[in-house]
Each structure stands twice: as C-alpha cells, then as structure tokens.
C-alpha cells in the first residue's frame, strides 16, 4: 500500500506551506502554484477523494460547498460580474495531474471555448 501523501494532502497538513484563501470544516481553497489566469484558485475537500469518479451521495454536502465557496471567492475577488470558469479534471483524458479531487476557479481575463 502506498502511504505517501500527495501534494494536496501535504498542503492540508501544512507540510507544504501554502496560504489558504478559505477554510471551513469541509473544504480548503488556495492559489494554484502555476496560475493559468490572473485568478486561479483550487478548492479541495478536507478529506481524500481521488477523482470525481469516487464521489457518492455522502459527498453531496462537500461538493455543494465547493461550488458555493467558489462563487463567494469569485465575488470577493471581484470577478463575479466579468465572469469565471469552474473546472474539474478527471483522469487522463480530463488532464488530471493531481489525484486528489479539486475544483479550479479561473478568471480575471476572457477565456476561450476550447476544452479539448
Ligand atoms: P489538475 O491538472 O490535476 O486538474 O490540476 C492540478 C493543479 O495543481 C495544477 O493547476 C497545478 O498547477 C496545481 N499544483 C500542483 N502542485 C501544486 C502545489 O504544490 N501547490 C499549489 N498551490 N498548486 C499546485
């Protein structure tokens, strides 16, 4: 069994020092280390879920909280009116590189319509 923590687990346990934008009992948000847009925030559950394939009905609250807080952060960062994009990558074709469920909040410039 592989007990090595992945990057987001190390961020949560503060083994990797990262400023949190937001944290509550269920989720944590912080800036992406390699931003793809002027605002690029990652929102993660406070407990391990590998991919979106691994969610179940017990996760409804945390999944809802991730979206709710994304909208609050967008407002706080003043990109709610100009707009933003929410992305969850899943597995290889979805370009997931960190296997710990996370939501990207991207904004601050106009994006494009190319997803694949
Ligand atoms: P994925 O491609 O899995 O959807 O996105 C993973 C994201 O995590 C990427 O945007 C990448 O830049 C970000 N990331 C990878 N390592 C770190 C890190 O150590 N700290 C932070 N803040 N973000 C990271």
């Amino acid at each position: 069994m592989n007990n090595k923590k992945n990057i987001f687990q190390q961020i949560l346990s503060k083994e990797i020092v990262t400023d949190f934008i937001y944290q509550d009992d269920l989720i944590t948000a912080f800036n992406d280390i390699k931003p793809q847009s002027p605002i690029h925030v990652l929102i993660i559950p406070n407990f391990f879920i590998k991919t979106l394939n691994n969610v179940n009905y017990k996760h409804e609250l945390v999944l809802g909280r991730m979206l709710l807080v994304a909208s609050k952060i967008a407002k706080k960062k003043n990109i709610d009116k100009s707009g933003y994009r929410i992305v969850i990558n899943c597995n290889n074709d979805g370009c997931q590189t960190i296997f710990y469920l996370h939501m990207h909040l991207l904004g601050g410039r106009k994006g494009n319509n190319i997803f694949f």
Side-chain angles (χ1 to χ4, degrees):
M1 194 173 134
N2 182 6
N3 287 322
K4 196 175 172 298
K5 286 184 186 171
N6 83 17
I7 288 169
F8 291 169
Q9 287 168 307
Q10 291 178 57
I11 286 174
L12 276 179
S13 64
K14 306 213 159 95
E15 285 163 59
I16 294 178
V17 178
T18 306
D19 286 337
F20 294 160
I21 292 172
Y22 177 91
Q23 187 166 51
D24 65 22
D25 56 324
L26 290 177
I27 66 164
T28 300
F30 49 89
N31 286 319
D32 196 293
I33 203 167
K34 210 174 145 202
Q36 304 297 316
S37 55
I39 307 288
H40 188 170
V41 174
L42 298 174
I43 302 169
I44 67 173
N46 289 345
F47 56 90
F48 180 70
I49 302 175
K50 190 174 179 188
T51 80
L52 196 58
N53 289 334
N54 302 105
V55 301
N56 60 50
Y57 288 104
K58 283 188 291 189
H59 299 129
E60 280 180 332
L61 189 60
V62 72
L63 293 169
R65 184 76 60 84
M66 287 166 78
L67 271 175
L68 178 63
V69 168
S71 79
K72 301 273 181 225
I73 293 172
K75 192 161 187 168
K76 199 167 172 203
K77 293 199 172 276
N78 213 20
I79 57 167
D80 54 324
K81 301 280 188 321
S82 51
Y84 53 89
R85 176 171 284 164
I86 298 293
V87 174
I88 296 177
N89 295 326
C90 183
N91 277 343
N92 190 50
D93 284 359
C95 301
Q96 182 173 8
T97 58
I98 306 288
F99 287 85
Y100 185 119
L101 179 69
H102 53 282
M103 181 182 279
H104 298 255
L105 165 64
L106 298 142
R109 70 168 166 80
K110 180 134 179 62
N112 60 51
N113 283 323
I114 301 166
F115 288 96
F116 284 97

